[in-house]
Amino acid sequence: MSENLTIDDTATRWSSPDRGGMPLLVLLHGYGADEHDLFGLVPYLPEGIAVASVAAPLAPPWPMPGRSWYPIEGLDGRSSAAVTLAAESFLRWLDTAATEAPSIALLGFSQGAAVSLQALRLAPERFGAVVALSGYASPGELPNDEALQELRPPVFWGRGTHDDVIPPALIDHTAQWLPTHSELSGRVYTGLTHSISEEELTDVHRFLTKWLDGVDAS
């Protein structure tokens, strides 16, 4: 894998061309999807924010469509190093794409959730909140993990009881890791598979509204 992944900024979908000074929510899609996949969530999100949906930097193996943040197949599938490379590429994109946002939150699904949490670990001061749906925190230690234990940024972690995509060991690790490194809001949805439900989106709306209230008060 390349040590310098690049996100194609021309593929990014924005909710509005007029977004100067608005809080920013960035959507990070899952494996085999693309920048269009999560954009349908925009009507379920709070008003008063700019939304950007980015395309992951890799193409998954044929015949899988869409994009991927890191490989999930092979001996190095889901490796923490690969998740870190993806998060670093996202942070470089953010350096140029979000220079005016007063606060930035992330919403990732599956792979996108893992990358969102990894980006938070690499640069905890850059994000006001993270929504991690049907995903996990990557194992291993990073230099800012100790700082996260002090900062405890707000994180919402949602997943379904019938999600058989994320390995149980990664779910168990995340259930141990997140409470000690974040102000965790979590919910497990009965019967939900590897997907997003309207009930979950109601909880996400409430969580992001609290983030926005904090931005307005600062």
Side-chain angles (χ1 to χ4, degrees):
M1 179 184 292
S2 170
E3 294 297 315
N4 191 24
L5 302 178
T6 301
I7 290 176
D8 179 8
D9 186 48
T10 64
T12 303
R13 288 194 65 178
W14 291 89
S15 60
S16 171
D18 183 16
R19 52 187 181 269
M22 298 178 69
L24 173 65
L25 176 68
V26 187
L27 309 179
L28 290 82
H29 64 76
Y31 185 81
D34 59 25
E35 69 277 9
H36 305 296
D37 183 59
L38 294 179
F39 206 74
L41 301 183
V42 171
Y44 296 90
L45 301 173
E47 297 181 355
I49 59 174
V51 180
S53 185
V54 297
L58 299 174
W62 186 88
M64 176 65 71
R67 310 291 301 171
S68 72
W69 291 98
Y70 52 86
I72 63 172
E73 65 287 323
L75 295 177
D76 293 328
R78 294 192 176 94
S79 77
S80 297
V83 180
T84 296
L85 283 177
E88 289 171 343
S89 73
F90 171 71
L91 291 172
R92 287 193 294 272
W93 172 86
L94 204 62
D95 285 340
T96 58
T99 56
E100 298 181 3
S103 184
I104 301 169
L106 307 178
L107 188 160
F109 176 78
S110 195
Q111 272 201 345
V115 174
S116 296
L117 291 172
Q118 203 78 337
L120 175 68
R121 295 171 68 184
L122 292 173
E125 74 287 347
R126 300 189 67 172
F127 303 107
V130 172
V131 176
L133 306 180
S134 301
Y136 64 94
S138 189
E141 295 184 2
L142 290 175
N144 289 324
D145 284 351
E146 188 172 338
L148 275 180
Q149 291 179 317
E150 298 295 328
L151 289 172
R152 298 183 65 83
V155 171
F156 179 88
W157 181 35
R159 61 185 182 88
T161 58
H162 287 51
D163 185 346
D164 59 1
V165 172
I166 306 299
L170 291 176
I171 295 297
D172 291 344
H173 166 75
T174 306
Q176 297 295 321
W177 192 89
L178 277 177
T180 58
H181 293 82
S182 69
E183 181 185 333
L184 179 62
S185 302
R187 186 170 177 188
V188 180
Y189 299 88
T190 301
L192 184 65
T193 59
H194 195 65
S195 58
I196 303 172
S197 68
E198 289 198 21
E199 183 181 17
E200 189 172 29
L201 287 175
T202 298
D203 292 334
V204 169
H205 188 286
R206 185 181 301 112
F207 175 82
L208 290 175
T209 297
K210 186 176 180 180
W211 160 62
L212 279 177
D213 289 344
V215 175
D216 293 339
S218 60

